[in-house]
């Protein structure tokens, strides 16, 4: 009976004591939600979104670049010297990082998937792996463009008190203190003598 199909399905799914089918279904649904998997798909979930495909393609290019530049170094350089990787893969890494930042920005506004939350776990894990390799393993650091202005402003602020005290010292008139000695009151003995004269 079609009207009883829902109850029939429910009784079959919950027929065993552990309700293993329901438990597994809930586990996979919770994992799907927690990992934000829908954010990697198109609105109708037909396949990966264009931005996800572009990101994963660039991610694979970055890993290929890392591997390609490591092959020539490991034989004759120390493991801590990865200058070739940093130099040759800088452009690819920068493009991947910029794309990831753009995806984050787009995702906050809804993005291709229509879900506004974190990026899907595949994209976030891929970027975390790349950043860890780039900064910790290869020790490639991108110089900050704000370093010079920050140092200049900090130096100016630290130098301000010196300028203030120096200018106040030079512009203030240095007056010599003239000590005025107070007139002393005559001693009691002289007062007694004066009183004796008049008495």
């Amino acid at each position: 009976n079609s009207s009883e199909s829902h109850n029939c399905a429910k009784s079959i799914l919950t027929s065993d004591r552990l309700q293993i089918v329901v438990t597994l279904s809930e586990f996979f649904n919770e994992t799907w939600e927690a990992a934000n998997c829908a954010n990697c798909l198109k609105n109708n979930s037909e396949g990966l979104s264009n931005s996800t495909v572009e990101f994963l393609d660039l991610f694979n290019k970055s890993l290929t670049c890392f591997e390609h530049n490591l092959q020539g170094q490991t034989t004759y350089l120390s493991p801590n010297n990865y200058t070739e990787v940093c130099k040759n893969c800088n452009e690819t890494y920068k493009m991947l990082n910029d794309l990831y930042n753009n995806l984050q920005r787009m995702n906050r506004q809804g993005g291709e998937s229509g879900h506004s939350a974190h990026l899907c776990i595949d994209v976030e894990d891929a970027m975390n792996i790349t950043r860890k390799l780039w900064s910790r393993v290869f020790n490639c650091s991108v110089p900050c463009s704000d370093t010079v202005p920050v140092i200049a402003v900090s130096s100016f602020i630290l130098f301000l008190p010196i300028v203030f005290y120096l200018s106040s010292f030079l512009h203030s008139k240095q007056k010599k203190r003239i000590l005025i000695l107070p007139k002393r009151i005559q001693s009691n003995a002289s007062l007694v003598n004066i009183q004796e004269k008049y008495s």
Side-chain angles (χ1 to χ4, degrees):
N1 190 353
S2 60
S3 61
E4 296 178 359
S5 62
H6 178 69
N7 292 334
C8 179
K10 187 176 179 182
S11 63
I12 290 172
L13 290 174
T14 59
S15 60
D16 62 315
R17 188 171 59 85
L18 292 176
Q19 299 180 4
I20 193 70
V21 176
V22 175
T23 304
L24 285 175
S25 174
E26 287 175 356
F27 169 75
F28 287 122
N29 286 335
E30 286 172 7
T31 306
W32 180 270
E33 291 295 324
N36 299 302
C37 294
N39 292 346
C40 277
L41 305 174
K42 294 177 182 173
N43 277 334
N44 49 10
S45 300
E46 286 179 358
L48 291 175
S49 64
N50 295 334
S51 57
T52 305
V53 170
E54 184 184 356
F55 177 85
L56 293 176
D57 183 48
L58 206 50
F59 170 68
N60 289 331
K61 284 181 183 174
S62 298
L63 292 184
T64 305
C65 182
F66 293 163
E67 289 173 15
H68 177 71
N69 286 282
L70 279 176
Q71 287 174 357
Q73 284 196 355
T74 51
T75 53
Y76 59 89
L77 290 177
S78 65
N80 294 329
N81 191 352
Y82 298 109
T83 53
E84 289 297 316
V85 176
C86 298
K87 186 174 69 174
N88 296 334
C89 301
N90 185 33
E91 192 62 35
T92 311
Y93 174 78
K94 192 177 176 204
M95 286 170 57
L96 181 71
N97 196 44
D98 291 344
L99 178 60
Y100 179 78
N101 291 335
N102 289 336
L103 287 175
Q104 276 189 317
R105 220 173 293 116
M106 277 175 34
N107 209 54
R108 288 191 197 105
Q109 300 164 354
E112 287 181 73
S113 65
H115 299 84
S116 57
H118 295 284
L119 292 170
C120 72
I121 199 71
D122 293 335
V123 172
E124 287 187 350
D125 279 352
M127 196 64 220
N128 286 341
I129 289 166
T130 312
R131 284 178 174 170
K132 187 176 179 182
L133 285 171
W134 184 258
S135 60
R136 291 187 190 172
V137 177
F138 303 138
N139 201 20
C140 300
S141 60
V142 179
C144 184
S145 59
D146 295 338
T147 305
V148 174
V150 167
I151 291 172
V153 170
S154 301
S155 302
F156 177 73
I157 290 173
L158 290 174
F159 194 65
L160 274 178
I162 297 168
V163 171
F164 172 75
Y165 286 114
L166 188 63
S167 63
S168 66
F169 176 76
L170 293 175
H171 293 296
S172 67
K173 293 180 180 177
Q174 298 293 321
K175 294 183 179 178
K176 292 183 179 178
R177 293 184 182 182
I178 302 169
L179 295 176
I180 301 172
L181 297 172
K183 295 179 180 177
R184 295 188 178 184
I185 301 174
Q186 295 176 348
S187 64
N188 288 338
S190 60
L191 285 175
V192 171
N193 292 337
I194 293 170
Q195 285 176 356
E196 284 178 355
K197 280 183 185 179
Y198 292 108
S199 59

